[in-house]
Amino acid sequence: MSVFNTLTTLALDLIFPRTCVGCGADETLLCQSCQQSFIITPQILMLSGIAKTTVVTDYHQTIIQSAIKQFKYHHLPQLAKPLATILVKALELEPPLPLYHLLAVPLHQKRQRQRGYNQSELLAKNIASYFQWPLLTGLSRV
């Protein structure tokens, strides 16, 4: 995150204190009550013979939709940890595998400069740290 973005975030926090994106509670971006209200319904989708993806929840849940939009488009990288926690809960419901490798999808350079961070990389870092899985890097968007 750039110094300008960090200073801007700190100034905005002073003027407009953070509230929960779900219920508006003070002092947090996503309160425990709202996090616990998420309906986690992991569904495994096979993409090919060996690749798969897990759909964690229904995007139409108002709180999750709001949290994701705030995370991506309103400069709230602090939502990475609570959103990653939801993904961790879903992954813990899956049968154990010998080893996962995580790969964050790179952003276009223009988007990276606008946001100051890559939301998929922040999520992947939190998940990799929790499970102690390798995080693969080095991809670039062309």
Side-chain angles (χ1 to χ4, degrees):
M1 183 181 317
S2 74
V3 172
F4 176 76
N5 287 340
T6 302
L7 291 175
T8 301
T9 300
L10 291 173
L12 288 173
D13 284 349
L14 289 173
I15 298 167
F16 305 106
R18 299 293 169 134
T19 59
C20 177
V21 297
C23 68
D26 289 337
E27 305 296 325
T28 182
L29 289 172
L30 194 55
C31 74
Q32 287 297 323
S33 177
C34 286
Q35 287 183 51
Q36 291 172 353
S37 75
F38 295 141
I39 301 167
I40 298 173
T41 54
Q43 298 173 19
I44 299 171
L45 306 174
M46 294 305 289
L47 300 177
S48 68
I50 59 169
K52 71 175 185 171
T53 188
T54 301
V55 177
V56 174
T57 188
D58 181 2
Y59 179 72
H60 292 95
Q61 292 180 66
T62 306
I63 298 171
I64 194 76
Q65 190 178 80
S66 176
I68 291 170
K69 285 181 179 178
Q70 294 290 321
F71 179 50
K72 286 181 71 173
Y73 305 117
H74 296 282
H75 195 70
L76 291 175
Q78 303 88 338
L79 282 168
K81 188 166 183 120
L83 289 173
T85 300
I86 296 161
L87 295 170
V88 163
K89 287 179 185 177
L91 289 168
E92 288 179 325
L93 296 174
E94 287 195 32
L97 295 176
L99 179 65
Y100 271 108
H101 287 77
L102 295 180
L103 177 66
V105 177
L107 282 177
H108 188 277
Q109 289 178 352
K110 180 181 175 183
R111 288 268 187 242
Q112 180 81 32
R113 280 192 306 273
Q114 286 173 340
R115 291 188 186 143
Y117 61 95
N118 177 345
Q119 70 277 358
S120 69
E121 185 178 339
L122 293 179
L123 292 171
K125 282 180 180 178
N126 277 280
I127 295 166
S129 173
Y130 180 86
F131 288 110
Q132 298 181 336
W133 291 339
L135 176 61
L136 304 176
T137 60
L139 282 185
S140 61
R141 186 176 285 257
V142 292

